[in-house]
Amino acid sequence: MKGLIASTGITPTDRVLRTGRATVRWDRRGATVTAVLVVAVAVMIVLSLMVGEYTIGPSALWDVLTGAPQRRLDRFFVLDRRLPRVLVAVGVGGGLAAAGAIFQRLHHNPLASPDIIGFTSGSAFGAVFVLIALGGSLTTGAIGAAAGALATFAIIGMLTAVGGLRGTRLVLVGIALGALASSATTYILSQAHLPSAAVAHTWLIGSLSGRGWGHVTILALGLAVIAPLIALLHRSFRALDLGDTVAATLGVRGGHARLALMLAATLLVGLAVAAAGPITFIALAAPHLARGLTRGPGILAAACVGALLLGISDLIAEHAFPAPVPVGVLTVSIGGIFLLWLLIREGISHRV
């Protein structure tokens, strides 16, 4: 029985619903944990709207969100300052975590996240090149970030076609590509005017400060295209886990499915970097935490964990220090500790 469950990808907590010729299967534990995470994200959003130097009470927040008569200052802080910022945090954290979950599952490597294998650095280079070298705007900077991520995707794709990239080799090649992209970004910054270089340097750390409705719009439009694509391709994961031969018998073309999923994850990285800069380690840590909670590889659960991690990190970065710090400073510090723990754990189990 256990062998049958392992070969079909069905877990002991799966529930199956049959309606006519269609069959819908879901994991009860995963669905429950994901629902709890969604509630936690909602609570985090409400908390982010209320706390700060100017505190807003529950009744005042309700008045602002429902359009009831309210004080102008309440409306300014909620709608113009805090709501866009926390929505960007949710979108960026969720997008990075979903991309990390896709990379890790496709490559069967716990270190295969956009931060490690060069996609984040490539995306940052594309955005900085457009913003500084070409004098671009917010919109063109977003296009540059996507182009940088896609260029990294193309390079890794070519290397994969030549010799195959699996396991540790993929990580090492990704680190090399990330280093090259980072050095190119540093060169561009060294040639820029001081004010532009200072702004770009803060952005490169990863920051949600000053995020407005323009950033929210870009994120929303991008996610509206990418999220349905991932949902359509999600069923391919179970088939790919069984190998290309078995996947082919199930009607899934392994190469095409992997390419489409990698492309979707790459676009998520470019979108997130364009909105908030190269915020690191959310894509690495969130999928691991989600798998520990759900005992499964759910992308939605990982996205919720990522949104929650970045939202809480931004609250801490904004209010827990004598002066606000970019959220990227906090995530890279926590992420470094997490990476060391992950390397020790995987090294003990001989998987890295």
Side-chain angles (χ1 to χ4, degrees), residues 126-147:
V128 169
F129 180 80
V130 170
L131 290 172
I132 294 181
L134 303 182
S137 62
L138 171 66
T139 303
T140 54
I143 295 173

Side-chain angles (χ1 to χ4, degrees), residues 263-284:
L263 180 60
T266 301
L267 291 175
L268 281 177
V269 174
L271 189 64
V273 171
I279 295 177
T280 55
F281 287 109
I282 295 293
L284 175 67

Side-chain angles (χ1 to χ4, degrees), residues 159-230:
L159 293 174
T160 302
V162 172
L165 290 178
R166 299 289 180 183
T168 304
R169 187 180 176 194
L170 172 68
V171 175
L172 293 176
V173 170
I175 291 174
L177 289 176
L180 290 173
S182 297
S183 63
T185 301
T186 302
Y187 173 77
I188 293 175
L189 290 176
S190 69
Q191 302 302 308
H193 295 294
L194 186 59
S196 300
V199 172
H201 178 70
T202 301
W203 177 82
L204 283 170
I205 296 174
S207 175
L208 296 173
S209 178
R211 295 305 179 262
W213 288 107
H215 299 86
V216 175
T217 300
I218 292 176
L219 269 174
L221 292 175
L223 292 175
V225 175
I226 302 171
L229 174 62
I230 294 176

Side-chain angles (χ1 to χ4, degrees), residues 14 25 36 41 46 59-60 70 79 84 89 122 152 160 180 182 185 189 243 251 275 288 311 344:
D14 278 0
R25 177 163 52 85
V36 172
V41 170
V46 172
S59 60
Q70 75 274 162
L79 298 183
T152 307
T160 302
L180 290 173
S182 297
T185 301
L189 290 176
H288 287 279
I344 292 171

Side-chain angles (χ1 to χ4, degrees), residues 297-311:
I299 295 178
L300 181 57
C304 290
V305 172
L308 194 60
L309 278 178
L310 188 55

Side-chain angles (χ1 to χ4, degrees), residues 54-333:
Y54 181 81
T55 304
I56 297 175
S59 60
L61 177 61
W62 177 256
D63 289 341
V64 173
L65 296 179
T66 57
Q70 75 274 162
R71 292 190 296 177
R72 183 177 299 178
L73 203 56
D74 292 345
R75 178 181 176 84
F76 168 74
F77 274 100
V78 172
L79 298 183
D80 296 337
R81 293 286 298 276
R82 295 175 183 172
L83 185 57
R85 179 171 182 151
V86 72
L87 290 179
V88 170
V90 169
V92 169
L96 288 174
I102 292 173
F103 281 122
Q104 290 174 16
R105 187 166 180 182
L106 283 179
H107 295 287
H108 304 287
N109 189 322
L111 297 180
S113 83
D115 311 324
I116 304 297
I117 59 178
F119 283 87
T120 302
S121 299
S123 184
F125 166 74
V128 169
F129 180 80
V130 170
L131 290 172
I132 294 181
L134 303 182
S137 62
L138 171 66
T139 303
T140 54
I143 295 173
L150 288 173
T152 307
F153 169 74
I155 294 172
I156 289 182
M158 288 187 294
L159 293 174
T160 302
V162 172
L165 290 178
R166 299 289 180 183
T168 304
R169 187 180 176 194
L170 172 68
V171 175
L172 293 176
V173 170
I175 291 174
L177 289 176
L180 290 173
S182 297
S183 63
T185 301
T186 302
Y187 173 77
I188 293 175
L189 290 176
S190 69
Q191 302 302 308
H193 295 294
L194 186 59
S196 300
V199 172
H201 178 70
T202 301
W203 177 82
L204 283 170
I205 296 174
S207 175
L208 296 173
S209 178
R211 295 305 179 262
W213 288 107
H215 299 86
V216 175
T217 300
I218 292 176
L219 269 174
L221 292 175
L223 292 175
V225 175
I226 302 171
L229 174 62
I230 294 176
L232 289 173
L233 294 169
H234 188 265
R235 63 175 294 272
S236 302
F237 269 123
R238 291 184 182 272
L240 291 174
D241 287 342
L242 301 175
D244 287 354
T245 303
V246 177
T249 63
L250 297 175
V252 176
R253 302 177 68 178
H256 291 79
R258 283 195 180 86
L259 181 64
L261 285 165
M262 284 281 290
L263 180 60
T266 301
L267 291 175
L268 281 177
V269 174
L271 189 64
V273 171
I279 295 177
T280 55
F281 287 109
I282 295 293
L284 175 67
H288 287 279
L289 296 175
R291 282 195 295 271
L293 293 171
T294 63
R295 297 178 186 172
I299 295 178
L300 181 57
C304 290
V305 172
L308 194 60
L309 278 178
L310 188 55
I312 293 175
S313 296
D314 189 48
L315 278 174
I316 296 173
E318 185 73 6
H319 305 296
F321 298 94
V325 298
V327 67
V329 174
L330 192 63
T331 61
V332 75
S333 301

